[in-house]
Amino acid sequence: MSAETPGVPVAEDLFEQGADGVGLIGTRCAGCGAHYFPVSLSCRNPVCDDKRTVRTTLGRTGTLYSWTVQHYRPPALYRADEWEPYAVGLVEVPEGLRVLAKLIGRDTDALEVGMPVRLVTSPLYTDADGRRVDTYAYEITGDGIGAGGGSGSPGPASSTDGPRA
Amino acid sequence: MTGVYVLGVAAHPWGKWPDKPQLQLAIEALTAAADDAGLPLRDLDGLVAASSRFEGGLGWGLHANEVLQAVSESGAQAINVGGGCAAGGIAIHTAASLIASGECEVVAALGAERMPKGFIPRPPGQPDDVTDTDYLRWVAIGATNPAYWAIEARRRMYDHGTTPETLALASVTMHEHAAANPLARYRKRITVEDVLASPRVADPLHLMEICAVSDGSAALILGSEAAARRRGGPLVRVAGSAVASGRFGDPAVRIPTVSMASDGDATHTSEVAGAVLRAQAAAGIGPKDVDVLEMADNSAWHVLAWPESFGFAEPGESDRLLQDGEYGIGGRLPINPSGGFLSFGEATTAQGVLQVCELAWQLRREAGERQVPGASVGQSAVLGLGANGASVVLTA
Ligand SMILES: [Zn+2]
């Protein structure tokens, strides 16, 4: 699903694409180590007095924390040539964040908490100059950890199913 | 410091009122609240307006000065406060502070709103770049507001085994309450089957499980103890009120952000939890003392999750409490006898004021068929776009 030739990012400074794949552009605080996405103007940590922020990339892989399927087309600010209900996921990434993103690579009714994902680009539309405009998305790369999903059996209430073993 | 009391309350019915300008909605609520207080508007020392971004106030949203210019040019102080949906609660807190400090004897808090149809769009005048997540969430993801609530709901199903039927029951309960409220927008009783048959908006949430944007207005007139005794009738006291913002590390999937902490230790929805705890501390009460809770149920998920986040129930306990009727009128903690956002309707900035009007009606025993038996302590909880929280405790 990820495009082979790089398109134009839907927003500047959103993600970058290199030999080692796609990374989200964010900020790391040199003082307390907190990560932010998108780039932040400062550090939000109230106990951090340093607040020197440096640009970084993050979120190349993660696990699916939760998701929804949007059944109504979003307002016009969301521009896409194709429309059908699509999944929006919340992905836990190794940098201490959960990231909101479109999900691709799996039927929307086959999603499960804990599925491993990797960051890719995904085409949105072709602009007036004929350029393909891409956004970032997470592609499902494996199976989930079962449980929950209305089965009535409580799963583990945790944030430990991320990759930070 | 003097005590602060509720002198008068009023609300315009929630609905769609295309023929009534926002200013007229505001004037009607304010005038009715003054009548309820038995005071002429010229007796107001101040008016605090909960400012909406959608309409009015020469571009600043509802403006206290605009209202006074229209209905009573008394020279009273005019104050405008922002904070998204929390603005109504912030307006009440501001009005209460003006009285508690002794600066004013009678102050009104006012909210009036006419909402755009459908999904709430992005406000004008923001930069089109990645530092504005309310730009980014639309162009990169197309994430609507219900998508944020749905992601929380889906995770709750995983964490606590919440079923679609229990989520639907939350909406059924709110509609049951609204059916007995003449001011509510949706007054039809519904069933779990009706909810599950309504269109899916953002899985697992259906149309009847998300709030409906509405028009409406509400006003609350507060005064000193001397003013309250002059009015007569049951004394309803603002025993506590508080405003709070979010804490670092909060895991809430917060509109319009696109990332949040996974490893923090802040309470979920810490801005509202913080306001709730501060208001309780100011009132010298704990969660078990609260007889009725008016809280912002933007979705069915909120009805289950919020009481747990704010200390009214244990994590995962809400499903059973709801099923057992404990969140209904006559239960252990009746939630939203007004009908809540889900069926009273949502008129953002006016909502925080309406919540406290409802508490006042409950504590005065004027709530008719939706009266919570024995209600003597009521608390409100409201969240505003970004990370604004506000809460008010009334006692009688
Ligand atoms: Zn820092």
Side-chain angles (χ1 to χ4, degrees), chain B residues 213-246:
Chain B
V213 293
S214 307
D215 309 334
S217 62
L220 180 76
I221 296 180
L222 300 179
S224 65
E225 183 173 349
R229 293 200 181 281
R230 280 197 299 276
R231 179 195 185 272
L235 283 181
V236 174
R237 183 166 186 224
V238 180
S241 80
V243 173
S245 55

Coordinates of all heavy atoms in Angstrom, one line a residue, chain B residues 213-246:
Chain B
V213 N -25.1 18.7 18.3 CA -24.9 20.2 18.5 C -26.3 20.9 18.4 O -27.1 20.6 17.5 CB -23.9 20.7 17.4 CG1 -22.5 20.1 17.7 CG2 -24.4 20.4 16.0
S214 N -26.5 21.8 19.3 CA -27.8 22.5 19.4 C -27.6 24.0 19.7 O -26.4 24.4 19.9 CB -28.5 21.9 20.6 OG -28.6 20.5 20.5
D215 N -28.7 24.7 19.7 CA -28.7 26.1 20.1 C -29.4 26.2 21.5 O -30.3 25.5 21.7 CB -29.5 27.0 19.1 CG -29.1 26.8 17.7 OD1 -27.9 26.4 17.4 OD2 -29.9 27.0 16.8
G216 N -28.9 27.1 22.3 CA -29.5 27.3 23.6 C -28.8 28.4 24.4 O -27.8 28.9 24.0
S217 N -29.4 28.7 25.5 CA -28.8 29.7 26.4 C -29.2 29.4 27.8 O -30.3 28.9 28.1 CB -29.2 31.1 26.0 OG -30.6 31.3 26.1
A218 N -28.3 29.8 28.8 CA -28.6 29.6 30.2 C -28.0 30.8 31.0 O -26.9 31.3 30.6 CB -28.1 28.3 30.7
A219 N -28.6 31.1 32.1 CA -28.1 32.2 32.9 C -28.2 31.8 34.4 O -29.2 31.1 34.7 CB -28.8 33.5 32.6
L220 N -27.3 32.3 35.2 CA -27.3 32.0 36.6 C -26.9 33.3 37.3 O -26.0 34.0 36.9 CB -26.2 31.0 36.8 CG -25.9 30.4 38.2 CD1 -27.0 29.4 38.6 CD2 -24.5 29.7 38.2
I221 N -27.7 33.7 38.3 CA -27.4 34.9 39.0 C -27.0 34.6 40.4 O -27.7 33.8 41.1 CB -28.7 35.9 39.0 CG1 -28.9 36.3 37.5 CG2 -28.4 37.1 39.9 CD1 -30.1 37.2 37.3
L222 N -25.8 35.0 40.8 CA -25.2 34.7 42.1 C -25.2 35.9 42.9 O -25.1 37.0 42.4 CB -23.8 34.1 41.9 CG -23.6 32.9 41.1 CD1 -22.2 32.5 41.0 CD2 -24.4 31.7 41.7
G223 N -25.3 35.7 44.2 CA -25.2 36.9 45.1 C -24.7 36.5 46.5 O -24.5 35.4 46.8
S224 N -24.5 37.5 47.3 CA -24.0 37.4 48.7 C -25.1 36.7 49.5 O -26.3 36.6 49.1 CB -23.7 38.7 49.2 OG -24.9 39.5 49.3
E225 N -24.8 36.4 50.7 CA -25.7 35.8 51.6 C -26.9 36.8 51.9 O -28.1 36.4 52.0 CB -25.1 35.3 52.9 CG -26.1 34.7 53.9 CD -25.4 34.0 55.1 OE1 -24.2 34.0 55.2 OE2 -26.2 33.7 56.0
A226 N -26.5 38.1 52.1 CA -27.5 39.1 52.4 C -28.5 39.2 51.2 O -29.7 39.2 51.4 CB -26.8 40.4 52.6
A227 N -28.0 39.1 50.0 CA -28.9 39.2 48.8 C -29.8 37.9 48.7 O -30.9 38.0 48.4 CB -28.0 39.3 47.5
A228 N -29.2 36.8 49.1 CA -30.0 35.5 49.1 C -31.1 35.6 50.1 O -32.2 35.1 49.9 CB -29.1 34.3 49.3
R229 N -30.8 36.1 51.3 CA -31.8 36.2 52.3 C -32.9 37.2 51.9 O -34.1 37.0 52.2 CB -31.2 36.6 53.7 CG -30.3 35.4 54.2 CD -30.0 35.5 55.7 NE -29.1 34.4 56.0 CZ -29.5 33.1 56.2 NH1 -30.8 32.8 56.0 NH2 -28.6 32.2 56.5
R230 N -32.6 38.3 51.2 CA -33.6 39.2 50.7 C -34.5 38.5 49.7 O -35.7 38.8 49.7 CB -32.9 40.4 50.1 CG -32.4 41.5 51.1 CD -32.1 42.8 50.4 NE -31.1 42.7 49.3 CZ -29.8 42.8 49.6 NH1 -29.4 43.0 50.8 NH2 -28.9 42.8 48.6
R231 N -33.9 37.6 48.9 CA -34.7 36.9 47.9 C -35.7 36.0 48.6 O -36.9 35.8 48.1 CB -33.9 36.1 46.9 CG -34.7 35.3 45.9 CD -33.8 34.2 45.2 NE -34.6 33.6 44.1 CZ -35.4 32.6 44.3 NH1 -35.6 32.0 45.5 NH2 -36.1 32.0 43.3
G232 N -35.3 35.3 49.7 CA -36.2 34.3 50.3 C -36.1 33.0 49.6 O -35.3 32.8 48.6
G233 N -36.9 32.0 50.0 CA -36.9 30.7 49.4 C -35.7 29.9 49.9 O -34.9 30.4 50.7
P234 N -35.6 28.7 49.4 CA -34.5 27.8 49.9 C -33.1 28.4 49.5 O -32.9 28.9 48.4 CB -34.7 26.5 49.1 CG -35.7 26.8 48.0 CD -36.4 28.0 48.4
L235 N -32.2 28.3 50.5 CA -30.9 28.9 50.2 C -30.0 27.8 49.5 O -29.8 26.7 50.0 CB -30.2 29.2 51.6 CG -30.6 30.5 52.2 CD1 -29.8 30.7 53.5 CD2 -30.4 31.7 51.3
V236 N -29.6 28.1 48.3 CA -28.7 27.2 47.6 C -27.3 27.9 47.5 O -27.2 29.0 46.9 CB -29.2 26.9 46.2 CG1 -28.2 26.1 45.4 CG2 -30.6 26.2 46.3
R237 N -26.3 27.2 48.0 CA -25.0 27.8 48.2 C -24.0 27.3 47.1 O -24.0 26.1 46.9 CB -24.5 27.5 49.6 CG -23.2 28.2 49.9 CD -22.9 28.2 51.3 NE -21.6 28.9 51.5 CZ -20.6 28.6 52.3 NH1 -20.7 27.4 53.0 NH2 -19.5 29.3 52.4
V238 N -23.2 28.1 46.6 CA -22.0 27.7 45.8 C -21.0 27.3 46.8 O -20.2 28.2 47.3 CB -21.5 28.8 44.8 CG1 -20.3 28.3 44.0 CG2 -22.7 29.2 43.9
A239 N -21.0 26.0 47.2 CA -20.0 25.6 48.3 C -18.6 25.5 47.8 O -17.7 25.5 48.5 CB -20.5 24.3 48.9
G240 N -18.5 25.3 46.5 CA -17.1 25.2 45.9 C -17.2 25.4 44.4 O -18.2 25.0 43.8
S241 N -16.2 26.0 43.8 CA -16.1 26.0 42.4 C -14.6 26.1 42.0 O -13.8 26.6 42.8 CB -16.9 27.2 41.8 OG -16.1 28.4 41.9
A242 N -14.3 25.5 40.9 CA -12.9 25.4 40.5 C -12.7 25.4 39.0 O -13.6 24.9 38.3 CB -12.2 24.2 41.2
V243 N -11.5 25.8 38.6 CA -11.1 25.7 37.2 C -9.7 25.1 37.2 O -8.9 25.3 38.1 CB -11.0 27.2 36.6 CG1 -10.4 27.1 35.2 CG2 -12.4 27.8 36.6
A244 N -9.5 24.2 36.3 CA -8.2 23.6 36.2 C -7.8 23.3 34.7 O -8.7 23.4 33.8 CB -8.2 22.2 36.9
S245 N -6.5 23.1 34.5 CA -6.1 22.8 33.1 C -5.4 21.4 33.2 O -5.2 20.8 34.3 CB -5.1 23.9 32.6 OG -4.1 24.1 33.5
G246 N -5.0 20.9 32.1 CA -4.5 19.5 32.0 C -3.1 19.4 32.6 O -2.4 20.4 32.8

